[in-house]
Amino acid sequence: MAKLVRFGVAMEESLLKEFDRYIRRKGYRNRSEAIRDLARNSMVQEAWEQEKGEVIAAVALVYDHEKRGLADRLTDLQHHAVPMIVSTLHVHLDERHCLEVVVLRGKASLVRKLASNLLAIKGVLHGGIIATGVPSSEEISQSPPPSKHLHPDL
Ligand code: NI
């Protein structure tokens, strides 16, 4: 279990009120939880932007599979980056459109480059990237078991 350290934070009353409204909207139980998340997000964001360290990214793409060359290009890019590809999910949305979610893991600079290349494929209609990192082992042992999230009433 990770040791939690308490520290004092001073901020303007108006900012704190705004922050409290924000954390209620987001569904946090308390300020500490919200601040921990903000800290983690900032560090993942920094790793992503500065292209340092390891990141994990889920890239979602919607495209028309009848568009010439697009599906081949998508497959080709992934085959040339096998060590970085954790998993690929393909969903046939209708007769023409497909959703592909590619999970990448590796050096931030490489993951970012591949994610951009995937989104930049000509004919991709819509897409987005969710970047994340691996929490330290201490944080993992501190997290509640997944069943708590799935069955809040139990
Ligand atoms: Ni499809």
Side-chain angles (χ1 to χ4, degrees), residues 68-143:
R68 246 179 99 179
L70 194 156
D72 283 348
R73 175 83 181 124
L74 184 56
T75 307
D76 197 46
L77 270 178
Q78 294 185 62
H79 277 280
H80 282 94
V82 167
M84 254 192 287
I85 311 283
V86 178
S87 184
T88 303
L89 167 76
H90 185 99
V91 181
H92 311 300
L93 297 175
D94 61 21
E95 283 168 19
R96 293 185 72 138
H97 298 103
C98 304
L99 164 69
E100 193 142 310
V101 181
V102 187
V103 179
L104 310 172
R105 180 177 191 165
K107 239 178 100 182
S109 55
L110 298 175
V111 168
R112 192 175 155 152
K113 187 160 182 264
L114 179 58
S116 311
N117 288 344
L118 289 169
L119 288 176
I121 295 173
K122 204 174 159 218
V124 169
L125 301 168
H126 185 238
I129 303 168
I130 294 173
T132 187
V134 184
S136 70
S137 53
E138 286 184 341
E139 281 182 281
I140 291 169
S141 65
Q142 186 199 318
S143 303

